[in-house]
């Protein structure tokens, strides 16, 4: 979606906390494919200083033309300490609320389990607190007339007035909200003293007939102030007038741990403004110490209330929770080890971007995710058959084959298992090349199924050469199948499939069985031309999908072998799957949603063109390697894969702290080394949905991390090398 957001930062800490929300909204835009346009407007003391008006006409126009308003705070000691000042920053805020018709202020009060100890109240009293205060915002004593001083200055007066209409529109909102929640509504007033409060009660009573399922109660404000602290869990929705709502919610912030974390939405009939409930906290201004969560959570409210972007809002909340869990909080919450305002914003926006640089799962493009979030359809419906038919065709394009490629609902390992149980019998000799975790797995699997497996061990980081394969085949002329891995994920090492397949065909009648799980979509591959018999890939690799599907291409030879095979196979029977595939069907209930996503992902690959996809992987892999080497890191593999680059950790660098900084400060997840190489190497993926900027990002993040742990290197050298690799 496209949205115009008016940004009114205001005074004191307003600009610094608002900057964090913008950062977070930009991250949401990037991750979910939305365009948020931010336009600044003057308000408060800043506006008085520039244009002598705390809410200038230009700001009002900007607000009216925007889809939502993000507000910081107003107020400045210069005015606070001068009671005689005629123009005051706060007048801007009040006028703005009034002229924009923002008559309800919604303030959710919810504790975060991660920071319960930040509250001075007992854990059992506050754990699970979750209520909402609906504060009337454009009436009551804030706006009542007359207000002022007597002529002789001996008397000052304010007026509190409410019309039935004003009360009713806040109550309607609160009743409706309660209906959707726990169905409990508390009206807070001072009806034992104030006439306006008695009118609130009267209107609430009358209205309650229309909301029979909502349990309505009344509480005097003095008692409410105590109950909030004594037993805050009793509340579901509170509705109250302007002044009481302001005071009670500052008090309620003690339950949650800090005034700095409470957000709000000020809404009317057409416009909505999102603002933390705190003020301009001038003592903290410019010091990078204010908590930005009130503002960030207000941005979360904007996403859900104004834009109905619920998934995006949930993502912001998850980022906030992650920051609290990681202790990335300001001094008001974490006095012993605080981080700065901007660090909290960085952490949350990095969390949202959550850049995966792992060789599976790999990043899923937004348009694929969106496709998968459409309503589910039945797998026998013509719409699904059409999708499956297209997927079958696209898979042929992907594998470069005219033969069937079947779709299994399982991981890549399940796909390899399907080939074994479908093509072989007990006692059949299977050669398995073991040059890493996955080769090891195929050897184990063959041993289990046929009881006759030959392991060809290859040093990690190296690939099997044709002459070596020739010797193995000569030693085992009775082999029925040879399993080898195109791109070994654990070592980032590629095997020359074309050459190995040629040797096997020349010197043996064994079936050529390729684990293409991390190779398909990254490495050049021609199933038919290269004489491969079965090749398996998984959805969460080069296909830019979540895990859950195995795709298996099957040659004519392989199909013939199935006629003689006697190993038991049911769910993973390739024979059954091929038969169903011929009718554009699957033998068992397929993962409908994943296949719908796969259809979209394969369309993306087709539009780019498979040759271009291979070339892109080559470009990215080369740039990634160059960048790492420029930082003084050594590459692990002598036959590098185009899917993943494994790198030796520089000496003296400890993996756990290195990875923690990469992940927590930069939002980058890379893969650890496995087995003997755990803590010694790490692996950077460029498999699937990556581009040039991603390589600059990951190498830039490596630089940041090395700098933070004081590892010597020339700042900028890695990023420059990546840039040169692309530009030369
Ligand atoms: N919506 C608005 O723009 C509001 C503006 N104001 C104005 O703000 C100025 C200061 O007023 P105060 O009464 O001091 O209220 P305040 O809300 O600015 O600060 C009160 C106390 O709350 C804590 N606090 C507030 N925001 C925080 C944050 N983000 N992180 C960590 N701690 C935080 C601090 O301990 C601070 O001393 C005044 O000029 C006042 O008129 C006050 C309330 C609301
Ligand atoms: C400066 C005041 C208008 C503050 C206030 O009442 C509020 O933010 O709710």
């Amino acid at each position: 979606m496209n949205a115009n957001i008016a940004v009114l930062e205001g005074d004191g800490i307003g600009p610094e906390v608002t900057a964090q929300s913008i950062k977070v909204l930009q991250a949401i835009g990037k991750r979910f494919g939305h365009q948020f346009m931010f336009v600044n407007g003057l308000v408060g003391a800043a506006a008085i200083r520039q244009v002598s008006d705390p809410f200038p006409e230009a700001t009002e126009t900007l607000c009216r033309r925007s889809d939502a308003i993000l507000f910081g705070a107003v107020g400045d000691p210069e005015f606070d300490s001068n009671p005689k000042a005629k123009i005051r920053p706060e007048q801007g805020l009040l006028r703005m609320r009034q002229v924009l018709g923002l008559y309800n202020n919604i303030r959710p009060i919810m504790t975060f389990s991660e920071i319960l100890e930040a509250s001075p109240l007992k854990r059992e009293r506050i754990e699970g607190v979750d209520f909402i205060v609906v504060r009337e915002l454009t009436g009551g004593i804030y706006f009542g007339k007359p207000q002022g001083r007597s002529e002789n200055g001996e008397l000052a007066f304010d007026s509190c007035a409410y019309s039935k209409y004003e009360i009713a529109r806040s109550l309607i909102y609160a009743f409706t909200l309660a209906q959707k929640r726990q169905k409990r509504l508390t009206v807070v007033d001072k009806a034992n003293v104030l006439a306006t409060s008695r009118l609130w009660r009267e209107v609430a009573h009358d209205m309650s007939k229309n909301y029979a399922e909502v349990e309505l109660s009344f509480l005097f404000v003095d008692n409410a102030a105590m109950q909030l602290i004594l037993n805050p869990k009793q509340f579901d929705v509170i509705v109250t007038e302007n002044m009481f709502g302001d005071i009670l919610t500052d008090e309620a912030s003690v339950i949650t741990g800090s005034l700095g974390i409470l957000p709000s939405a000020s809404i009317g009939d057409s416009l909505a403004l999102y603002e933390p409930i705190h003020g301009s906290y001038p003592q903290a201004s410019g010091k990078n110490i204010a908590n930005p969560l009130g503002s960030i959570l207000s941005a979360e409210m904007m996403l859900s209330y104004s834009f109905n972007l619920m998934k995006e809002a949930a993502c912001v909340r998850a980022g906030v929770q992650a920051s609290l869990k990681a202790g990335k909080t300001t001094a008001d919450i974490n006095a012993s080890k605080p981080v700065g305002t901007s660090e909290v914003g960085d952490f949350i926006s990095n969390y949202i971007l959550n850049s995966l640089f792992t060789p599976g799962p790999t990043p899923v493009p937004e348009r694929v995710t969106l496709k998968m979030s459409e309503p589910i359809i039945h797998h026998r419906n013509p719409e699904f058959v059409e999708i499956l038919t297209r997927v079958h065709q696209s898979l042929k394009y992907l594998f470069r084959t005219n033969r069937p490629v079947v779709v299994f609902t399982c991981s890549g390992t399940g796909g390899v298992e399907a080939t074994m149980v479908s093509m072989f019998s007990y006692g059949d000799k299977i050669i398995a090349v073991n040059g890493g975790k996955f080769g090891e797995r195929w050897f184990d699997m063959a041993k289990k199924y046929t009881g006759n497996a030959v392991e060809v061990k290859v040093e990690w980081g190296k690939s099997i050469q044709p002459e070596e394969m020739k010797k193995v085949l000569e030693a085992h002329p009775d082999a029925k199948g040879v399993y080898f891995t195109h791109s070994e994920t654990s070592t980032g090492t590629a095997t020359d499939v074309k050459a190995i397949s040629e040797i096997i065909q020349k010197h043996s009648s064994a079936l050529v069985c390729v684990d293409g799980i991390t190779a398909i979509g990254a490495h050049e591959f021609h199933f038919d031309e290269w004489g491969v018999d079965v090749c398996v890939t998984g959805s969460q690799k080069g296909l830019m999908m979540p895990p859950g599907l195995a795709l298996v291409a099957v040659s004519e030879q392989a199909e013939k072998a199935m006629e003689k095979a006697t190993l038991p196979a049911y769910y993973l029977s390739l024979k059954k799957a091929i038969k169903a595939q011929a009718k554009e069907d699957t033998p068992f209930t397929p993962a409908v949603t994943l296949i719908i996503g796969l259809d979209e992902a394969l369309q993306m690959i087709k539009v780019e063109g498979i040759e271009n996809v291979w070339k892109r992987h080559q470009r990215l892999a080369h740039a990634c390697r160059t960048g790492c080497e420029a930082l003084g890191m050594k590459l692990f593999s002598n036959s590098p894969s185009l899917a993943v680059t494994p790198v030796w950790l520089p000496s003296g660098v400890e993996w756990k702290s290195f990875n923690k900084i990469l992940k927590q400060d930069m939002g980058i997840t890379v893969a650890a080394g496995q087995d003997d190489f755990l803590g010694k190497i790490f692996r950077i993926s460029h498999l699937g949905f990556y581009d040039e900027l991603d390589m600059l990002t990951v190498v830039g993040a490596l630089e940041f991390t090395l700098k933070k742990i004081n590892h010597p290197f020339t700042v900028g050298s890695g990023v420059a090398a990546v840039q040169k690799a692309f530009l030369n």
Side-chain angles (χ1 to χ4, degrees):
M1 73 168 302
N2 289 356
N4 294 317
I5 300 172
V7 179
L8 315 186
E9 308 169 328
D11 310 318
I13 60 167
E16 35 195 306
V17 295
T18 309
Q20 309 317 312
S21 307
I22 292 176
K23 219 183 257 178
V24 165
L25 287 169
Q26 278 167 333
I28 287 288
K30 186 167 177 213
R31 167 149 177 209
F32 293 91
H34 305 301
Q35 192 88 37
F36 297 129
M37 289 285 297
F38 300 95
V39 182
N40 279 68
L42 286 171
V43 75
I48 298 175
R49 287 191 187 112
Q50 288 193 42
V51 294
S52 310
D53 184 347
F55 184 55
E57 208 179 309
T59 302
E60 184 185 333
T61 308
L62 170 70
C63 292
R64 289 192 190 282
R65 286 189 183 152
S66 300
D67 300 301
I69 307 156
L70 184 62
F71 181 85
V74 292
D76 188 286
E78 179 192 324
F79 298 90
D80 289 342
S81 57
N82 176 11
K84 294 217 168 105
K86 288 249 157 37
I87 311 177
R88 314 187 66 81
E90 291 79 0
Q91 290 164 351
L93 175 59
L94 297 179
R95 205 163 80 224
M96 180 177 72
R97 289 172 179 168
Q98 199 172 40
V99 301
L100 299 181
L102 307 171
Y103 53 81
N104 278 329
N105 183 224
I106 316 305
R107 300 187 162 188
I109 314 289
M110 195 188 276
T111 48
F112 287 94
S113 58
E114 295 83 0
I115 51 162
L116 290 176
E117 64 290 344
S119 168
L121 303 177
K122 288 198 184 90
R123 188 186 180 93
E124 59 272 21
R125 202 160 281 191
I126 58 172
E127 196 164 21
V129 163
D130 174 8
F131 63 91
I132 296 183
V133 177
V134 178
R135 169 190 173 196
E136 198 291 324
L137 201 60
T138 52
I141 203 159
Y142 281 65
F143 293 91
K145 296 279 178 308
Q147 181 195 52
R149 294 278 288 270
S150 62
E151 262 179 35
N152 66 5
E154 293 299 307
L155 182 78
F157 46 90
D158 295 287
S159 309
C160 184
Y162 267 111
S163 68
K164 275 190 174 180
Y165 171 73
E166 286 171 318
I167 295 170
R169 61 187 180 181
S170 285
L171 283 171
I172 289 172
Y173 190 93
F175 269 114
T176 314
L177 188 63
Q179 258 179 337
K180 294 187 207 144
R181 291 172 50 95
Q182 302 300 312
K183 301 184 175 34
R184 281 179 285 119
L185 177 64
T186 310
V187 177
V188 171
D189 59 31
K190 189 70 183 163
N192 49 349
V193 178
L194 301 176
T196 45
S197 286
R198 288 191 284 274
L199 188 58
W200 273 82
R201 282 202 180 197
E202 189 184 309
V203 179
H205 265 306
D206 287 350
M207 207 176 264
S208 66
K209 293 172 205 127
N210 304 328
Y211 300 93
E213 71 278 37
V214 175
E215 186 194 314
L216 177 67
S217 60
F218 297 92
L219 209 54
F220 294 137
V221 64
D222 38 359
N223 186 8
M226 178 188 61
Q227 294 294 337
L228 272 181
I229 300 299
L230 204 60
N231 179 17
K233 283 191 230 177
Q234 68 183 288
F235 297 113
D236 177 25
V237 177
I238 291 176
V239 61
T240 188
E241 61 103 81
N242 204 345
M243 172 77 100
F244 297 163
D246 190 18
I247 296 169
L248 290 180
T249 46
D250 263 34
E251 185 196 0
S253 76
V254 175
I255 301 169
T256 63
S258 169
L259 182 57
I261 68 172
L262 288 191
S264 83
S266 300
I267 52 186
D269 292 327
S270 53
L271 292 169
L273 176 144
Y274 299 86
E275 48 177 330
I277 83 157
H278 61 69
S280 61
Y281 186 11
Q283 307 90 314
S285 175
K287 294 188 182 155
N288 197 33
I289 57 169
N291 197 327
L293 293 187
S295 182
I296 290 172
L297 290 167
S298 300
E300 180 211 336
M301 291 182 85
M302 178 190 289
L303 291 169
S304 59
Y305 283 54
S306 277
F307 304 147
N308 201 23
L309 297 174
M310 307 316 276
K311 198 162 36 116
E312 289 79 346
C315 187
V316 173
R317 179 156 287 259
V320 168
Q321 280 170 321
S323 73
L324 297 174
K325 197 167 172 199
K328 298 279 176 189
T329 54
T330 43
D332 51 322
I333 299 286
N334 183 357
S336 60
K337 230 174 140 202
V339 300
T341 309
S342 56
E343 281 74 31
V344 175
D346 288 344
F347 181 96
I348 295 169
S349 51
N350 284 333
Y351 176 92
I352 290 166
L353 290 171
N354 179 27
S355 306
L356 267 190
F357 285 88
T358 52
T362 60
V364 178
E366 191 52 22
R367 58 183 267 201
V368 174
T369 310
L370 285 176
K371 265 277 160 219
M372 291 192 293
S373 62
E374 285 177 8
I376 190 84
I377 51 176
H378 191 269
H379 59 286
R380 302 266 179 254
N381 275 3
E383 302 98 282
F384 184 72
V385 176
E386 193 184 317
I387 291 168
L388 187 62
T389 308
R390 199 164 47 235
V391 164
H392 285 149
Q393 282 308 318
S394 305
L395 287 172
K396 289 182 178 184
Y397 170 80
L398 179 75
F399 281 81
R400 317 310 290 143
T401 183
N402 290 316
R403 296 285 310 158
V405 184
V406 300
V407 181
F408 278 104
T409 300
C410 61
S411 70
T413 301
V416 175
E417 189 154 337
T419 65
M420 257 185 218
V421 296
S422 304
M423 300 193 301
F424 302 107
S425 307
Y426 191 78
D428 280 355
K429 183 179 273 182
I430 289 179
I431 296 170
V433 178
N434 173 2
K437 286 301 283 178
F438 292 92
E440 181 186 285
R441 189 176 291 178
W442 314 142
F443 169 64
D444 268 359
M445 200 184 265
K447 223 168 32 178
K448 270 225 160 71
Y449 275 117
T450 73
N452 189 6
V454 176
E455 183 180 29
V456 182
K457 276 222 171 208
V458 177
E459 194 185 327
W460 279 39
K462 293 197 171 141
S463 63
I464 186 154
Q465 299 305 305
E467 315 79 65
E468 199 183 341
M469 180 52 86
K470 185 174 164 219
K471 280 189 206 144
V472 176
L473 292 166
E474 282 166 357
H476 300 282
D478 53 341
K480 292 282 196 299
V482 181
Y483 277 82
F484 61 104
T485 300
H486 193 169
S487 162
E488 174 57 65
T489 320
S490 59
T491 67
T493 301
T495 294
D496 185 344
V497 172
K498 185 177 179 220
I500 298 294
S501 175
E502 217 171 273
I503 286 286
I504 300 172
Q505 290 170 72
K506 203 162 164 191
H507 298 279
S508 160
S509 58
L511 294 169
V512 180
C513 310
V514 176
D515 154 14
I517 297 173
T518 23
I520 291 292
H523 279 264
E524 183 170 356
F525 180 77
H526 302 269
F527 185 82
D528 289 353
E529 204 184 310
W530 292 355
V532 176
D533 288 305
V534 281
C535 178
V536 182
T537 193
S539 51
Q540 81 280 23
K541 304 285 185 170
L543 299 187
M544 311 177 285
M545 284 279 300
L549 296 177
L551 301 317
V552 187
V554 189
S555 75
E556 218 173 311
Q557 290 286 97
E559 223 180 320
K560 275 195 197 130
M562 288 174 211
E563 297 307 321
K564 289 184 269 158
T566 58
L567 280 174
Y570 193 84
Y571 185 76
L572 292 179
S573 164
L574 258 180
K575 216 166 149 181
K576 258 192 258 179
I578 294 168
K579 210 166 145 195
Q581 197 261 5
K583 290 185 275 167
E584 308 299 353
D585 199 357
T586 53
F588 306 102
T589 310
V592 172
T593 309
L594 290 176
I595 291 174
I596 290 170
L598 181 62
D599 181 34
E600 191 69 15
L602 288 169
Q603 296 310 315
M604 287 174 71
I605 290 178
K606 282 170 99 171
V607 168
E608 188 177 352
I610 190 68
E611 286 86 2
N612 293 331
V613 173
W614 297 332
K615 279 187 204 147
R616 173 166 53 83
H617 280 82
Q618 202 156 18
R619 229 174 25 250
L620 300 188
H622 168 67
C624 180
R625 286 181 221 140
T626 317
C628 291
E629 283 182 307
L631 292 176
M633 296 182 181
K634 291 204 168 57
L635 303 179
F636 178 73
S637 175
N638 73 352
S639 171
S641 152
L642 301 181
V644 55
T645 294
V647 197
W648 287 99
L649 270 169
S651 69
V653 173
E654 199 259 327
W655 162 246
K656 274 199 179 146
S657 38
F658 177 83
N659 190 37
K660 196 169 166 201
I661 296 170
L662 255 187
K663 207 171 169 134
Q664 291 197 346
D665 295 347
M666 305 307 293
I668 302 263
T669 306
V670 294
Q674 291 178 289
D675 284 4
D676 291 347
F677 297 96
L678 178 63
K680 294 185 182 153
I681 65 169
F682 67 98
R683 297 169 294 149
I684 305 166
S685 167
H686 21 76
L687 170 63
F689 190 53
Y690 291 102
D691 63 12
E692 283 80 356
L693 267 183
D694 292 314
M695 294 304 106
L696 285 165
T697 302
V698 71
V699 173
L702 291 181
E703 289 202 8
F704 178 94
T705 308
L706 291 176
K707 185 79 193 156
K708 199 141 186 201
I709 55 177
N710 291 324
H711 183 81
F713 73 102
T714 311
V715 172
S717 55
V719 174
V722 174
Q723 189 73 290
K724 275 186 199 149
F726 290 134
L727 299 182
N728 286 337

